[in-house]
């Protein structure tokens, strides 16, 4: 990251919150502020986080660069920049911009551009953003002899002038965007520890919904390290929560799977998935969550054809959300790498061991209901009663995400 050496504040920008009405925006910004404060505390970074002028600012921090990294992991953040703060006056801003340009060693061989924004009462600032760009640009040329290149400069010097303060910065570090975690209702996320489901859960979190993770433990039918991989995925996801924790519900379903092995054939995966949604709904009801999230995508497996998704859905009374419905596998893998869940999920974690050799690809809900073992779906309640609840924390992997 290109941060000014004497940066003293982190400027945190959001995007979509600006489309909300005043009261909603203000509540969401406050949530963003608190989430970021929590994230910094958990990472051992002392700081004060404040909200002003539709922005969030991290001040008095022990580590500006680490604070920028934390902001970039915080849902709702569009971007964050390490800044030098100064008075919102032309001379002060120009001096700060020159100091930053000299510090980054702009020279006659390099090019730069100044991008300025100005907000606030015109009577307070007798200049426009263009005036700032021109004056700061001229002063930087005078001091460094660097070339101005507005299209593809080597270095961009940003200036943001607000009512009572101005900020000068170099890079903007991109955040995940979305909405602050906790601004939407929780959802139950079915997480298998494969590649897809942690990405789907992350997408729901990105839109503001905390997740209650649900893992179906297939007992004798599960792969040897399935649970471990599920836990690792959640450790990676927990990094994105303000308190660094995610609750996992590990639901033992081995007996139900035995029934399915004995009593079903080519429609087995559909019964299993119907049962799986029921389990997730049961957890959702328990935790006041409002829906179920899965990592399914159209046509990825025989159980994920449009017809079969319909069949499976007909067992659920809550909406089943599929953030990855239209994603190609490669797109999912790319995001998994970016968010740090990939390492833990290289092997197919689905239910390969119980899949029939010739699965039905276009069953009808009537047919599946007819072939369903008696009382199968109702067994979800007892299984969830036996669930083991574990708080998964991010601490073990902090700082070692291998993208
Ligand atoms: P993943 O989709 O997590 O990478 P996968 O692709 O091997 O694993 P699928 O068979 O495609 O798994 O399952 C589709 C979805 O069903 C998963 O994305 C996940 O949401 C859910 N799921 C499958 N198995 C389990 C399980 N054992 N526990 C919880 N959820 C599961
Ligand atoms: Mg999958």
């Amino acid at each position: 990251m290109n941060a000014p050496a004497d940066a003293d504040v982190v400027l945190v920008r959001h995007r979509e919150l600006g489309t909300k009405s005043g009261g909603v925006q203000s509540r969401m910004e406050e949530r963003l502020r608190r989430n970021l404060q929590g994230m910094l505390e958990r990472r051992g970074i002392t700081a004060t986080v404040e909200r002003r002028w539709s922005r969030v600012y991290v001040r008095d921090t022990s580590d500006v660069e680490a604070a920028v990294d934390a902001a970039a992991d915080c849902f709702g953040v569009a971007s964050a920049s390490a800044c030098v703060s100064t008075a919102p006056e032309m001379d002060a801003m120009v001096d700060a911009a020159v100091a930053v340009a000299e510090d980054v060693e702009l020279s006659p061989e390099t090019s730069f551009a100044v991008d300025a924004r100005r907000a606030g009462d015109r009577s307070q600032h007798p200049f426009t953003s263009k005036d700032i760009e021109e004056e700061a640009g001229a002063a930087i040329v005078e001091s460094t002899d660097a070339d101005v290149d507005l299209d593809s400069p080597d270095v961009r010097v940003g200036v943001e002038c607000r009512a009572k303060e101005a900020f000068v910065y170099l890079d903007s570090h991109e955040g995940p965007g979305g909405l602050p975690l906790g601004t939407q209702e929780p959802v139950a996320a079915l997480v298998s520890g494969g590649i897809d489901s942690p990405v789907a859960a992350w997408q729901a979190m990105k839109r503001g919904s905390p997740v209650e993770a649900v893992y179906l433990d297939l007992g004798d039918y599960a792969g040897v390290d399935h649970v471990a991989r599920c836990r690792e995925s959640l450790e990676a996801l927990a990094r994105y929560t303000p308190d660094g924790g995610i609750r996992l519900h590990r639901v033992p379903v081995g007996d139900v799977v035995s029934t399915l092995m004995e009593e079903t054939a080519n429609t087995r995966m559909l019964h299993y998935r119907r049962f799986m949604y029921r389990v997730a709904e049961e957890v959702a009801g328990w935790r006041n969550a409002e829906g179920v999230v899965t990592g399914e995508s159209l046509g990825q497996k025989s159980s994920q054809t449009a017809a079969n998704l319909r069949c499976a859905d007909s067992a659920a009374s809550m909406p089943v959300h599929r953030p990855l419905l239209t994603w190609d596998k490669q797109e999912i893998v790319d995001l998994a790498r970016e968010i740090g869940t990939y390492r833990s999920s290289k092997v197919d974690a689905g239910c390969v061991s119980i899949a029939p050799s010739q699965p039905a690809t276009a069953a009808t809900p009537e047919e599946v209901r007819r072939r369903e073992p008696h009382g199968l779906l109702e067994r979800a309640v007892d299984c969830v009663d036996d669930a083991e609840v574990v708080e998964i924390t991010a601490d073990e992997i902090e700082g070692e995400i291998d993208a």
Side-chain angles (χ1 to χ4, degrees), residues 157-178:
V157 179
V159 181
E160 180 156 324
C161 177
R162 293 274 160 175
K164 294 201 164 61
E165 199 172 8
F167 305 90
V168 178
Y169 55 91
L170 290 164
D171 282 343
S172 289
H173 207 82
E174 249 189 77

Side-chain angles (χ1 to χ4, degrees), residues 61-319:
T61 175
S62 51
D63 188 339
V64 170
E65 294 202 16
V68 171
D69 287 342
D73 284 342
C74 197
F75 295 116
V77 169
S79 65
S81 301
C83 305
V84 175
S85 62
T86 183
E89 288 150 17
M90 184 62 91
D91 288 351
M93 290 185 292
V94 168
D95 287 351
V98 169
V100 163
E102 287 172 350
D103 186 47
V104 78
E105 293 181 0
L106 275 183
S107 67
E109 287 75 47
T110 53
S111 62
F112 78 99
V114 178
D115 292 328
R117 289 172 53 94
R118 192 196 58 87
D121 190 341
R122 193 64 209 273
S123 65
Q124 283 171 314
H125 303 139
F127 46 76
T128 64
S129 56
K130 194 150 192 315
D131 295 335
I132 303 173
E133 289 173 353
E134 285 174 2
E135 292 207 24
I140 291 173
V141 171
E142 196 177 299
S143 128
T144 66
D145 250 353
D147 280 338
V148 174
D149 180 347
L150 299 184
D151 297 324
S152 61
D154 298 321
V155 172
R156 281 186 190 279
V157 179
V159 181
E160 180 156 324
C161 177
R162 293 274 160 175
K164 294 201 164 61
E165 199 172 8
F167 305 90
V168 178
Y169 55 91
L170 290 164
D171 282 343
S172 289
H173 207 82
E174 249 189 77
L179 300 174
L181 196 63
T183 57
Q184 302 300 307
E185 293 84 6
V187 289
L190 279 159
V191 178
S192 70
I195 295 172
D196 308 328
S197 47
V199 175
W202 188 88
Q203 294 279 4
M205 291 162 71
K206 175 182 159 181
R207 294 302 301 167
S209 283
V211 299
E212 297 283 351
V214 183
Y215 172 76
L216 274 68
D217 189 337
L218 274 60
D220 293 343
Y221 299 94
V224 272
D225 59 348
H226 277 187
V227 181
R229 281 192 279 128
C230 172
R231 292 179 67 119
E232 276 184 43
S233 301
L234 293 175
E235 282 165 13
L237 288 182
R239 187 180 166 81
Y240 296 90
T241 67
D243 66 356
I246 287 193
R247 193 156 46 196
L248 166 64
H249 305 77
R250 178 179 170 178
V251 184
V253 301
D255 291 349
V256 170
V257 174
S258 295
T259 304
L260 288 175
M261 295 306 283
E262 285 159 21
E263 298 184 25
T264 64
N266 68 331
T267 51
R268 182 177 305 137
M269 300 316 283
L270 292 172
H271 304 297
Y272 172 66
R273 304 199 79 78
R274 288 159 60 84
F275 172 72
M276 190 163 81
Y277 297 162
R278 278 290 178 92
V279 167
E281 279 188 344
E282 198 55 34
V283 174
W286 176 18
R287 299 299 188 186
N288 294 323
E290 298 291 349
V292 173
V293 170
T294 81
E296 290 158 318
S297 84
L298 207 47
Q300 191 192 77
K301 291 188 174 176
S302 60
S303 55
Q304 296 170 31
T305 62
N308 281 353
L309 289 176
R310 174 186 169 214
C311 265
D313 259 5
S314 65
S317 57
M318 278 194 185

